[in-house]
Amino acid sequence: MTDRTDIPALALEWHNSGRGAVIATVVETWGSAPRPIGSQLVIDRDGAMEGSVSGGCVEGAVITEAMEAVDDGKTRLLAFGVSDDQAFAVGLACGGQIRVLVEPVGGDALSADLLKELVDARAARQRIAYVADLENDDRKLADASDYAERFRSDKSGVEEDGRTFVAIHNPPLRMLIVGAVHIAQPLVQMARACGYDPILIDPRPVFGSEERFPGEVISDDWPDEAMEALGLDPRTAVVTLTHDPKLDDPAIRAALSSDVFYLGCLGSTRTHAKRVERLEQDGFSAEQIARIHGPVGLNIGAKSPAEIAVSIMAQVTEVLRKA
């Protein structure tokens, strides 16, 4: 079964099964909306739906338009004025405007082939943008380099020309944590709260156990082997916590040979200096080694494992959002 939260994949599945599918996307909204720009809803010809484009104040009208769009294949750009009473009912202080782009799959604008390209790119963890001209049916996919700032900030929206809508499809964020040590326990929780999929890597059963990390994804492979299997990309952060070069160094070498956006390594300044010496002997350049955040985390005077985890999460966030 397709993930019900993966709206593009679900829309393609519904279309291919003959149910008909329409994707509704928020392209513009009020400042503190319950659903951000880029949020999506998929509707079939009978009105079944997954996802959302608001807190419920416009869904009914969108579904009605979508059911008509399945039959006529026409794109719609819907504009709604949300009253203060409606906004208050969904948790907002005041009303505003919301615009929703309604696109039937296989219709005049969104072809099934283009949607499949998007779905395949997302499945392969590629960073891809869906670009729609709001004044006609021109649609295309674009690379991350074309909209670097939008990808960095995960911000879909209308360009300055007022007619080009860019929907950002970034892969989910991941944090690979090497070493299922005490610090890792609060770190996995904080990472998940910040929108990351944390994965623990530790071949030592006494550390990487279900009892110590209930419900967590734990790999007992050697770190470099685990990373090769998982794949490393610009939406991945790597944190090494073991203090043991036999475990940390293979992970560090793998990360430095990839395009992960963050690499942080636990250890004192002296420990890091020895780490740098080993990496230099392995042939890594000064520029590559400079990518390492070591000692890991922002210098906030952290002492306890939870405080250290806070400092790590803060630094990861800073690198992601300000790079």
Side-chain angles (χ1 to χ4, degrees):
M1 291 289 291
T2 301
D3 181 354
R4 313 309 287 183
T5 64
D6 188 343
I7 298 301
L10 194 57
L12 183 63
E13 178 184 293
W14 287 6
H15 172 78
N16 289 338
S17 70
R19 292 175 58 172
V22 175
I23 298 178
T25 306
V26 176
V27 299
E28 190 173 64
T29 190
W30 55 82
S32 57
R35 299 294 293 139
I37 293 172
S39 298
Q40 294 187 315
L41 173 71
V42 59
I43 310 102
D44 73 2
R45 63 167 37 91
D46 295 323
M49 66 174 188
E50 293 284 350
S52 67
V53 291
S54 78
C57 50
V58 304
E59 257 80 1
V62 171
I63 292 170
T64 298
E65 292 281 353
M67 293 170 68
E68 295 178 2
V70 172
D71 294 327
D72 64 29
K74 302 295 183 183
T75 298
R76 289 139 165 86
L77 182 59
L78 310 178
F80 300 95
V82 182
S83 70
D84 285 355
D85 288 344
Q86 287 176 307
F88 186 79
V90 294
L92 301 177
C94 58
Q97 297 291 322
I98 178 172
R99 289 205 296 169
V100 179
L101 181 64
V102 176
E103 300 174 285
V105 179
D108 294 344
L110 178 55
S111 70
D113 288 342
L114 184 62
L115 179 58
K116 186 177 187 306
E117 284 187 53
L118 175 63
V119 170
D120 289 346
R122 285 166 53 92
R125 290 186 58 84
Q126 295 176 15
R127 298 187 297 166
I128 199 80
Y130 178 76
V131 184
D133 190 322
L134 298 180
E135 296 184 5
N136 58 45
D137 289 328
D138 289 345
R139 303 290 186 269
K140 66 178 182 179
L141 300 181
D143 293 330
S145 58
D146 295 330
Y147 300 97
E149 179 60 25
R150 287 194 178 279
F151 275 93
R152 184 187 65 79
S153 59
D154 275 323
K155 189 175 182 180
S156 300
V158 178
E159 293 286 270
E160 291 183 0
D161 62 9
R163 62 183 288 176
T164 303
F165 174 69
V166 182
I168 297 301
H169 293 269
N170 262 323
L173 290 163
R174 296 184 301 176
M175 181 177 288
L176 309 187
I177 301 169
V178 179
V181 297
H182 197 176
I183 295 170
Q185 291 175 316
L187 183 57
V188 293
Q189 297 176 31
M190 293 179 191
R192 184 174 295 103
C194 290
Y196 290 74
D197 292 332
I199 301 173
L200 287 161
I201 301 172
D202 201 320
R204 304 168 297 181
V206 68
F207 285 90
S209 66
E210 171 69 19
E211 291 75 19
R212 298 186 70 238
F213 294 91
E216 299 296 343
V217 177
I218 305 172
S219 170
D220 60 4
D221 290 335
W222 208 254
D224 52 345
E225 296 173 353
M227 290 183 177
E228 182 179 1
L230 292 166
L232 300 176
D233 57 41
R235 296 283 286 176
T236 301
V238 174
V239 180
T240 68
L241 300 176
T242 74
H243 282 292
D244 186 344
K246 295 193 302 295
L247 294 174
D248 282 356
D249 283 9
I252 294 168
R253 290 194 295 267
L256 289 179
S257 300
S258 74
D259 53 1
V260 296
F261 78 87
Y262 177 89
L263 171 59
C265 304
L266 187 68
S268 66
T269 301
R270 183 179 178 183
T271 297
H272 185 62
K274 293 181 179 179
R275 180 185 296 131
V276 169
E277 290 180 8
R278 294 193 300 272
L279 291 170
E280 288 174 340
Q281 292 172 2
D282 289 339
F284 287 94
S285 68
E287 183 179 6
Q288 287 176 299
I289 295 172
R291 293 176 57 198
I292 302 173
H293 295 271
V296 69
L298 296 181
N299 184 9
I300 59 173
K303 299 297 183 183
S304 69
E307 289 178 346
I308 295 170
V310 168
S311 76
I312 293 171
M313 205 66 242
Q315 188 174 61
V316 171
T317 303
E318 181 181 53
V319 172
L320 175 68
R321 299 305 180 194
K322 291 187 174 181

